[in-house]
Amino acid sequence: MNIAIIGTGNVGGALATQWSKAAHTIFLGVKEVAGFKGKHLLQNPRTSVHTVADAAQQAEVILVATPPQIAPQLAAQMGNVAGKVIIDATNTVNASPEGYPTAFHAFAALTKAEVIKCFNTTGFENMQRPDYGHVVLDMMMAGNSEQAKAITSRLAQEAGFAHCYDFGKADKVVLLEQFALSWINLAIFQGMGRDIGFKLVKRQT
């Protein structure tokens, strides 16, 4: 697929690299192409840098990994993205878009895209390497679009996660952000470190 990555920091960069390895074409959408600081990402196959608008227009799937409060501006910059999949990987820990509880809700209201919440519940280190040897971590998603869920589940597995569990529809997006706070609490505030992750286990009957 053609995938736009808006926000090329730790999370966006990790997923851009993983999906490039999985043979997708990556369009990095940045504020200033000339001043792009993530040039190491251009060493990945099938990866190029563009304006936010150009990246979004060339892509079928758009991952947003930016501060959540700029979601309304991004929605305007991306242009017509009707029918495309927007994956919201942000968390409103310290700030939220004006007038919206999360970036997910802003994109859902301001675009005609298929919006889904995913890749927000763990640190970027686990996106670089979700395989802990004895166990492979899981990912979680939420949203109304079944099409977006099918695509996102596939992308999660191609990023190395064992399974992408469906938390439910859009009413579970805030719950999924709160789930992210659980990882932050354990990893940072409880001092367990960033090399921890979540795995759903089922009892065999």
Side-chain angles (χ1 to χ4, degrees):
M1 289 185 292
N2 293 340
I3 303 175
I5 306 285
I6 312 300
T8 55
N10 290 334
V11 171
L15 291 172
T17 298
Q18 295 287 59
W19 290 335
S20 171
K21 291 177 182 177
H24 296 294
T25 300
I26 307 300
F27 300 92
L28 304 174
V30 301
K31 185 177 180 180
E32 295 180 6
V33 172
F36 177 52
K37 297 180 180 179
K39 290 185 171 56
H40 64 283
L41 295 174
L42 299 178
Q43 298 174 15
N44 294 332
R46 297 169 299 278
T47 301
S48 53
V49 62
H50 307 266
T51 64
V52 169
D54 287 345
Q57 289 304 306
Q58 295 183 75
E60 304 155 68
V61 175
I62 304 164
L63 175 93
V64 178
T66 66
Q69 60 268 33
I70 69 170
Q73 295 95 305
L74 289 179
Q77 290 175 33
M78 287 190 292
N80 182 7
V81 291
K84 298 177 185 284
V85 172
I86 294 179
I87 304 174
D88 171 25
T90 73
N91 281 314
T92 53
V93 176
N94 297 315
S96 59
E98 185 176 357
Y100 302 96
T102 72
F104 174 99
H105 293 87
F107 290 128
L110 298 172
T111 74
K112 294 183 179 179
E114 305 292 320
V115 187
I116 189 162
K117 188 78 172 180
C118 195
F119 302 108
N120 69 300
T121 54
T122 195
F124 74 93
E125 297 90 345
N126 287 329
M127 298 179 194
Q128 293 174 329
R129 193 174 57 165
D131 188 340
Y132 276 60
H134 61 293
V135 67
V136 179
L137 301 182
D138 293 320
M139 185 48 66
M140 296 82 179
M141 61 183 173
N144 292 336
S145 171
E146 294 302 321
Q147 174 197 5
K149 287 180 177 179
I151 290 172
T152 302
S153 179
R154 170 189 164 190
L155 288 174
Q157 292 177 31
E158 290 179 337
F161 291 94
H163 192 82
C164 189
Y165 287 98
D166 187 353
F167 252 51
K169 295 188 179 297
D171 63 320
K172 297 298 189 295
V173 166
V174 172
L175 178 61
L176 201 55
E177 290 210 358
Q178 292 170 343
F179 191 88
L181 291 176
S182 298
W183 184 89
I184 294 169
N185 175 61
L186 291 172
I188 308 302
F189 299 114
Q190 304 307 319
M192 295 182 67
R194 299 179 65 90
D195 287 321
I196 62 170
F198 296 119
K199 175 71 178 179
L200 180 67
V201 295
K202 297 181 180 180
R203 190 181 306 279
Q204 299 298 318
T205 58

